[in-house]
Amino acid sequence: PGAVLVLDIEQNDKGAASRWRKLLRGLGLQTVPGGLYLAFDWPPVDDGGLERIADFVAEHPSVRLVVIDTLGDLKGDATGGDAYQSDTKEMRKFTRLAKDYGIALLVITHDRKTQGGVQDAFSDRASGSRAIPGKALARWNLRRNDFEPTGVLLASGKNIPEAKINLTFDTDSMSWR
């Protein structure tokens, strides 16, 4: 058990606050519990974002999990060249951060939203090069059709069994069940 830092940086703070109120209410909570740290603005990797996470975790040693929503909002600008090599180099920074501080990182990224062909493979759906899911110890991919409340969560990883889990989205609690 431990504290959690959630970098909810994909949307503006008002939209995120509304969503968090629903999430907490769905859990039967009226306020943000102790040990849950929320941030709605964070600098990107190329502007000290990972160092700021490291500083936060060092100042809050009870933090065991950092959630990044989404990678695209934290990831640095592409510097040109080979995308795979660039993503590999950047993902190594995330891996090093997790190892150095003994934390788990849950990095959320969008999928390519394409169907058919090679890109329909589980490992090819994450946005970015294959280095992004390739460096992860575990991967989850939530697939659902637009405007549908049901989906399938696919799980795979280096040390976990593969799984396919049917889910339904509950709009009142903003959670999948």
Side-chain angles (χ1 to χ4, degrees):
V4 178
L5 169 63
V6 179
L7 306 182
D8 194 356
I9 53 180
E10 182 179 34
Q11 59 184 332
N12 66 43
D13 55 349
K14 289 182 182 178
S18 173
R19 184 167 52 94
W20 275 98
R21 277 192 290 278
K22 284 185 175 183
L23 282 165
L24 292 170
R25 195 171 43 248
L27 294 169
L29 302 171
Q30 300 302 316
T31 60
V32 176
L36 175 59
Y37 302 98
L38 300 172
F40 303 113
D41 186 40
W42 205 266
V45 169
D46 57 1
D47 193 22
L50 285 182
E51 292 83 359
R52 187 164 167 198
I53 293 171
D55 291 344
F56 188 92
V57 171
E59 292 170 15
H60 301 84
S62 64
V63 170
R64 297 287 180 260
L65 171 65
V66 176
V67 179
I68 299 168
D69 188 2
T70 67
L71 177 62
D73 293 298
L74 189 68
K75 197 168 178 274
D77 291 329
T79 58
D82 182 89
Y84 182 87
Q85 291 303 320
S86 176
D87 284 344
T88 297
K89 183 178 178 183
E90 191 152 276
M91 297 316 293
R92 279 189 192 129
K93 294 176 187 177
F94 286 85
T95 302
R96 175 58 43 209
L97 175 72
K99 285 180 181 178
D100 286 351
Y101 289 91
I103 59 172
L105 287 175
L106 174 60
V107 180
I108 299 169
T109 186
H110 293 282
D111 69 15
R112 297 179 190 274
K113 295 180 177 33
T114 59
Q115 294 182 0
V118 173
Q119 289 190 14
D120 202 38
F122 180 45
S123 61
D124 289 336
R125 291 187 61 97
S127 185
S129 77
R130 292 183 115 193
I132 293 172
K135 288 292 179 190
L137 293 178
R139 299 182 310 266
W140 294 276
N141 182 269
L142 178 62
R143 295 184 183 183
R144 71 170 184 85
N145 293 323
D146 290 345
F147 309 107
E148 294 285 330
T150 58
V152 175
L153 181 67
L154 304 175
S156 177
K158 293 175 174 66
N159 298 312
I160 65 169
E162 290 185 346
K164 185 176 181 180
I165 305 162
N166 294 314
L167 299 172
T168 301
F169 189 71
D170 179 340
T171 56
D172 293 331
S173 64
M174 297 294 288
S175 61
W176 290 90
R177 301 183 191 274

